[in-house]
Amino acid sequence: MDIIEILFTASFWAAAIRIASPLIFATLGELICERAGVLNLGIEGIMVSGAFAGWMAVYSGTGLWIGVGVAMAVGMLFGLLHSTLTVPFGLSQHVVGLGVTLLATSSTYYAYRLALPEVTSPPKIVAFQPYEIPLLSDIPLLGPALFSQTPLTYLAFVLVAVVGLVLYRTPLGLAVRAAGENPAAVASQGLSVTAIRMGAVIIGSGLMAVGGAFLTMSAFDSFFFEMVNGRGWICIALVVFGSWRPGKAMLGAVLFAAFDALQIRVQQTSLGAQVPYQIFLMMPYILSILALVVTSRRAEVPAALMVPFNKGER
Amino acid sequence: MRLEPVNNPSFGRKLVPPALALSATIVIASLLAMIAGANPFSVLGLIIKGAFGSKFALLETLNRATPLIFTGLAVAVAFRAKFWNIGAEAQLYAGALITVLLGTGALAWPSGLILPVIALIAVFAGAILLLVPALLKTRFGVDEVVTTLLFNFIFLLFISMLLEGPLKDPMGMGWPKSARLIPEARLPRIVDGLRLHWGFALAIISALCVWLIQTRSTLGYEMRAVGLNKQAAGFAGIPVNLVLVKTALLSGGLAALGGFSEVAGLKGSLTLDLSPGFGYTGIIVAMLALLNPLGVVIAALFVAGIFVGADSMSRAADVPTYLADIMQAISLLLMVLAIMLTRFRVVRD
């Protein structure tokens, strides 16, 4: 099949939207953290923990949405740990973030081994099923691509708008953005920079975990080791690519996912079969680096990103 | 709450927080082992016995520490200049790749010649690999954390491609594994009969060299100045970008030397599981060592001890082996907190 032909099939765009969904959750989560001034490198591990927690909850008999809630709660716990160390104690955000990733990943694997000691292949759950939105899903091409997705995908796109509105149209959003740009000004207004930053990291980490849960509860129906496979790091690149704006970050995620969906399809063509599969697997990472190079010149980095705030200091 | 610097920390203030961090790590690990059904009071003993309890255990710990000294040094050098190299994993594989490219018959020279040549080219390869993120940072302002992290994935896929293609050992029964090194390209053992190779000695020498560079050379001074305050260093006439590039070259080279040492000293061939995350663990080692090159040696022995000891403990007590990783993560997080508390006092408003 020709590449141009692939671009005009509904199944291709449906796949792109599906692949973009977990990235959107996690990218929004990272964006909220960074907007408040905290780089959260715990993202990769938090996604792993969310993927496991949500799936395990459903496997133990809870409803799907409760599972999403459990995943979010676990993510928020790791967010609490991360933000306690990086915000009031002002420890290196790089080191704490990588430490949280290692802790979240290894404790998830530990829990998995304890919960399912003997299994060779992990059990499956009944995952979220596609829900066809009446009328809209009948539109040719667009309908099956955009409006026959699972509820979690719709939630991801709704969240883009919600996060955008909160960040730019509410006093809370202003406080979060100010904490990332000029924390001293926030403190002079009588607000607690510590509380705002910690809150942002906790909420953001919750969203990252939901992004991970999407993988086990919507994209697939089971949990595997190495499942997240660097998606968290890609989301960090997507935040930069999106200039720290929710809408642009979403566009970046869809663009990235479309490319990912395309490479899977090209891999299956007769031409693609002659290329080592590793080349295709490298593409997302190479693309992320290229995106960073292209956008970094005009990036509007939050001025106080990675700068700890200690009230006593002037 | 806020933090106030302590000017002349007392002996107790320097000692108590790290000791508490260490004890807390052990308590948490014991509790986790208890959840898995093991006797929590036997955990610490089993770890120490597994890491240092016999000649075999001790040699295993030293062998495990060797690559960690290299990656720990690579990270310590880079972090000192606030260059966040998270890509020691890829640079280690770059060194390993050069070792099998040149050591499986391409160069048929005597040991005394082939080993230094391979080591040098391996260092060069690791340095070049980190040069790309370094230049992206200095030229385009691209954050090196993300690029070095993503490079790990790219480079491992590249190695996987080579191992399933041109580098695949025809005698390997279909496994993605390189051919074995020729005997001349193997690092000999330090003492006959003891499973410890010259890579360990090379690691110690490297640590001394890095310490000398950092404390006795202009470059070391410049690296510290750039790390403390980039702008001030620039005003003082230090070529900040050039120093960052030199730091990157040194850091990448050190990690690659770890790959050379693992392949030429221990494994003898290249597989995709050469490193169970030595590059990432190097970050833990460097942080525990307070970025001090000589401290890296001690921290690497400690982390390797946890790894070997927890591995042996988990087999003895039937606990999932991931406990070792959890212990490393907790000791890292608690130790950075403890080290901060030795220098700052928490004050309530």
Side-chain angles (χ1 to χ4, degrees):
Chain A
M1 195 161 43
D2 198 28
I3 293 179
I4 307 298
E5 265 176 67
I6 295 176
L7 289 178
F8 283 100
T9 57
S11 72
F12 164 73
W13 286 104
I17 297 294
R18 189 173 63 239
I19 296 170
S21 305
L23 300 177
I24 291 175
F25 279 115
T27 304
L28 284 177
E30 182 67 35
L31 185 143
I32 294 171
C33 299
E34 293 193 18
R35 263 305 169 95
V38 182
L39 173 75
N40 189 348
L41 292 182
I43 182 168
E44 178 82 7
I46 293 171
M47 287 181 81
V48 175
S49 71
F52 174 74
W55 170 79
M56 196 65 214
V58 175
Y59 178 68
S60 336
T62 71
L64 283 166
W65 288 106
I66 303 277
V68 173
V70 169
M72 179 141 190
V74 168
M76 289 169 85
L77 270 179
F78 282 113
L80 176 66
L81 174 69
H82 183 285
S83 59
T84 306
L85 293 174
T86 53
V87 181
F89 289 114
L91 299 178
S92 157
Q93 295 178 8
H94 290 106
V95 176
V96 170
L98 292 165
V100 167
T101 279
L102 180 62
L103 180 65
T105 310
S106 54
S107 50
T108 297
Y109 291 175
Y110 192 75
Y112 176 88
R113 273 282 164 253
L114 286 188
L116 304 159
E118 299 299 333
V119 296
T120 44
S121 67
K124 290 182 187 318
I125 59 166
V126 180
F128 280 106
Q129 299 301 315
Y131 173 78
E132 295 189 358
I133 297 179
L135 298 177
L136 288 176
S137 58
D138 297 331
I139 307 172
L141 191 64
L142 278 184
L146 298 180
F147 302 111
S148 307
Q149 300 279 355
T150 66
L152 268 188
T153 295
Y154 301 132
L155 179 65
F157 284 85
V158 170
L159 266 178
V160 175
V162 172
V163 171
L165 278 176
V166 171
L167 272 182
Y168 289 100
R169 294 277 183 275
T170 65
L172 176 67
L174 179 64
V176 169
R177 285 185 292 134
E181 294 287 347
N182 191 348
V186 175
S188 72
Q189 294 291 311
L191 296 170
S192 163
V193 177
T194 307
I196 294 169
R197 285 187 166 177
M198 285 186 72
V201 173
I202 292 170
I203 298 283
S205 302
L207 289 181
M208 294 167 190
V210 174
F214 183 93
L215 297 173
T216 50
M217 302 173 64
S218 185
F220 307 96
D221 50 9
S222 199
F223 176 83
F224 305 99
F225 287 9
E226 316 290 326
M227 185 162 209
V228 176
N229 202 12
R231 279 186 178 82
W233 311 133
I234 285 169
C235 290
I236 289 186
L238 283 173
V239 173
V240 181
F241 181 74
S243 311
W244 287 266
R245 285 163 194 276
K248 276 191 182 173
M250 177 198 73
L251 278 182
V254 172
L255 207 69
F256 180 89
F259 189 84
D260 204 26
L262 184 66
Q263 61 93 0
I264 296 168
R265 280 158 179 76
V266 171
Q267 215 173 329
Q268 286 154 353
T269 61
S270 53
L271 185 73
Q274 292 164 10
V275 181
Y277 69 92
Q278 290 96 340
I279 297 276
F280 290 104
L281 293 180
M282 278 181 208
M283 283 303 172
Y285 308 114
I286 294 174
L287 200 69
S288 299
I289 292 178
L290 287 179
L292 284 179
V293 174
V294 172
T295 49
S296 59
R297 281 265 157 132
R298 52 178 176 76
E300 304 142 33
V301 192
L305 181 62
M306 289 186 275
V307 183
F309 180 70
N310 194 4
K311 243 181 301 176
E313 283 170 20
R314 290 279 171 258
Chain B
M1 62 164 274
R2 63 201 160 83
L3 304 169
E4 255 181 25
V6 179
N7 284 330
N8 287 312
S10 63
F11 186 67
R13 177 167 276 279
K14 276 191 195 160
L15 204 68
V16 171
L20 279 178
L22 206 60
S23 324
T25 305
I26 293 163
V27 170
I28 296 172
S30 304
L31 289 176
L32 285 171
M34 190 174 74
I35 297 175
N39 174 5
F41 300 103
S42 68
V43 167
L44 178 62
L46 282 173
I47 290 177
I48 292 175
K49 193 170 146 234
F52 306 104
S54 64
K55 198 168 83 176
F56 176 81
L58 191 63
L59 287 173
E60 192 62 30
T61 302
L62 292 180
N63 267 327
R64 179 64 86 148
T66 303
L68 292 179
I69 296 176
F70 285 113
T71 54
L73 287 173
V75 173
V77 161
F79 280 24
R80 179 69 81 188
K82 292 223 163 68
F83 180 79
W84 305 102
N85 174 18
I86 323 286
E89 188 78 2
Q91 294 134 29
L92 180 136
Y93 272 99
L97 177 63
I98 294 294
T99 310
V100 291
L101 279 179
L102 300 178
T104 47
L107 303 179
W109 298 339
S111 265
L113 191 61
I114 192 171
L115 282 170
V117 167
I118 294 180
L120 271 177
I121 298 177
V123 166
F124 189 69
I128 293 295
L129 193 62
L130 190 52
L131 186 63
V132 181
L135 288 178
L136 287 178
K137 179 191 170 83
T138 55
R139 285 288 165 86
F140 298 98
V142 181
D143 184 41
E144 73 277 19
V145 174
V146 188
T147 47
T148 51
L149 263 170
L150 293 174
F151 260 63
N152 289 342
F153 287 87
I154 296 172
F155 202 75
L156 252 91
L157 283 164
F158 177 64
I159 297 271
S160 152
M161 191 172 94
L162 293 180
L163 287 180
E164 287 179 16
L167 277 187
K168 189 171 179 175
D169 182 8
M171 320 294 272
M173 321 250 272
W175 286 102
K177 171 178 172 300
S178 80
R180 294 198 69 79
L181 296 182
I182 55 172
E184 289 80 5
R186 294 295 303 265
L187 277 168
R189 289 174 176 189
I190 299 177
V191 180
D192 262 342
L194 285 187
R195 198 167 155 266
L196 184 69
H197 56 84
W198 274 98
F200 181 72
L202 187 62
I204 305 283
I205 296 167
S206 304
L208 284 170
C209 290
V210 171
W211 179 76
L212 281 176
I213 291 174
Q214 282 196 338
T215 54
R216 300 281 185 274
S217 77
T218 318
L219 178 63
Y221 168 78
E222 290 176 337
M223 278 155 55
R224 259 180 299 142
V226 170
L228 283 173
N229 189 335
K230 214 187 260 187
Q231 264 146 0
F235 284 130
I238 293 174
V240 173
N241 282 345
L242 189 64
V243 171
L244 281 177
V245 168
K246 283 182 188 166
T247 306
L249 291 176
L250 182 58
S251 173
L254 283 163
L257 212 48
F260 160 75
S261 148
E262 277 300 278
V263 172
L266 202 62
K267 299 287 170 65
S269 64
L270 177 59
T271 53
L272 259 189
D273 57 3
L274 175 77
S275 158
F278 289 138
Y280 303 102
T281 315
I283 298 168
I284 301 180
V285 170
M287 291 313 295
L288 294 182
L290 302 178
L291 308 184
N292 178 321
L294 300 180
V296 162
V297 176
I298 298 164
L301 287 171
F302 169 74
V303 171
I306 291 189
F307 210 92
V308 174
D311 203 44
S312 135
M313 180 274 292
S314 62
R315 265 180 282 116
D318 196 22
V319 169
T321 50
Y322 297 106
L323 191 59
D325 293 327
I326 299 181
M327 282 183 75
Q328 284 179 16
I330 293 177
S331 67
L332 170 72
L333 291 174
L334 291 181
M335 209 53 111
V336 284
L337 177 64
I339 287 160
M340 193 275 291
L341 289 177
T342 59
R343 287 177 296 161
F344 290 89
R345 182 184 295 130
V346 178
V347 183
R348 286 201 159 271
D349 292 322

